[in-house]
Amino acid sequence: MVRLTEEQWRAFAAVRLRALRDTLGAQDRQYRSEEAFTAAQWRRRLRAHTQFAAVLDDRMVGLIGVQRESADSAYLYSLWLEPSARRRGLAHELVTAAVDWARDERMRTVTLRVEEDNDVALGVYQDLGFTMDATVTAGNPDEVTMRLNVG
Ligand SMILES: CC(C)(COP(=O)(O)OP(=O)(O)OC[C@H]1O[C@@H](n2cnc3c(N)ncnc32)[C@H](O)[C@@H]1OP(=O)(O)O)[C@@H](O)C(=O)NCCC(=O)NCCS
């Protein structure tokens, strides 16, 4: 797993846009907004949030984002693997890289949101020790919040 730097913004932008197109579609508002990002906006995204990429045969095939949510908590988002790169354990490795980052940053918990019928993603998170957090209601009623203690 590779932690992306600002200099890698072009490759990051290409995979991020592929992920948005794959999950939301080319007509989606978020896709259209990010499609119009300038180099400066992509660089800003990479400065503000930590991004890890999965690389297969020298090609970037997946992403995960993680950001500090509060002094002791990290928020993990936008896990995506290119369809041809799935079922090789790369999602497990991306989530592990993000969790390790949070632990190294001395955070105590990692949270994420996932659609309640996304069985593959739920399986990945549960395998890695995440549990459902019923005390937090996600903005979207179809999503559940999961939490992992790391500190
Ligand atoms: C969810 C997603 C990220 C999983 O990515 P992935 O790389 O296929 O995940 P992994 O390979 O780590 O694990 C997924 C499955 O592959 C299995 N697997 C892992 N390594 C494997 C291997 N070497 N051979 C066969 N299967 C394997 C895992 O056991 C798991 O099995 P399951 O489907 O029975 O639960 C991917 O399907 C995706 O991008 N989906 C669309 C976006 C999305 O839903 N993102 C999550 C938003 S919260």
Side-chain angles (χ1 to χ4, degrees):
M1 300 301 110
V2 183
R3 181 172 171 183
L4 298 181
T5 64
E6 230 186 287
E7 286 62 44
Q8 289 166 295
W9 71 267
R10 276 180 202 281
F12 169 60
V15 186
R16 169 74 182 159
L17 291 174
R18 272 213 304 282
L20 286 176
R21 216 167 36 231
D22 175 60
T23 52
L24 304 172
Q27 301 311 316
D28 180 77
R29 221 164 44 131
Q30 194 177 349
Y31 173 76
R32 294 172 80 100
S33 136
E34 295 195 23
E35 192 192 25
F37 268 17
T38 62
Q41 283 172 299
W42 287 115
R43 285 174 175 275
R44 198 173 312 135
R45 170 76 62 85
L46 283 166
R47 278 201 302 276
H49 298 179
T50 302
Q51 304 282 344
F52 289 96
V55 178
L56 200 59
D57 301 328
D58 289 332
R59 220 164 53 83
M60 237 182 242
V61 294
L63 285 177
I64 198 167
V66 57
Q67 67 182 112
R68 187 180 284 275
E69 192 175 43
S70 70
D72 64 359
S73 152
Y75 180 67
L76 199 154
Y77 68 96
S78 293
L79 169 65
W80 180 82
L81 262 297
E82 206 168 87
S84 63
R86 291 179 190 170
R87 305 219 63 185
R88 296 163 187 258
L90 292 175
H92 280 78
E93 290 185 34
L94 278 173
V95 177
T96 300
V99 166
D100 287 348
W101 173 85
R103 192 179 287 114
D104 288 349
E105 292 283 317
R106 306 213 178 285
M107 297 190 205
R108 294 168 60 86
T109 58
V110 178
T111 63
L112 59 86
R113 289 203 296 265
V114 53
E115 289 191 358
E116 62 190 355
D117 62 356
N118 190 343
D119 293 334
V120 180
L122 282 167
V124 170
Y125 300 136
Q126 273 160 357
D127 275 357
L128 294 171
F130 281 84
T131 54
M132 299 285 184
D133 186 342
T135 64
V136 186
T137 38
N140 178 342
D142 297 333
E143 289 181 339
V144 293
T145 298
M146 298 186 89
R147 176 182 301 276
L148 177 72
N149 291 328
V150 294

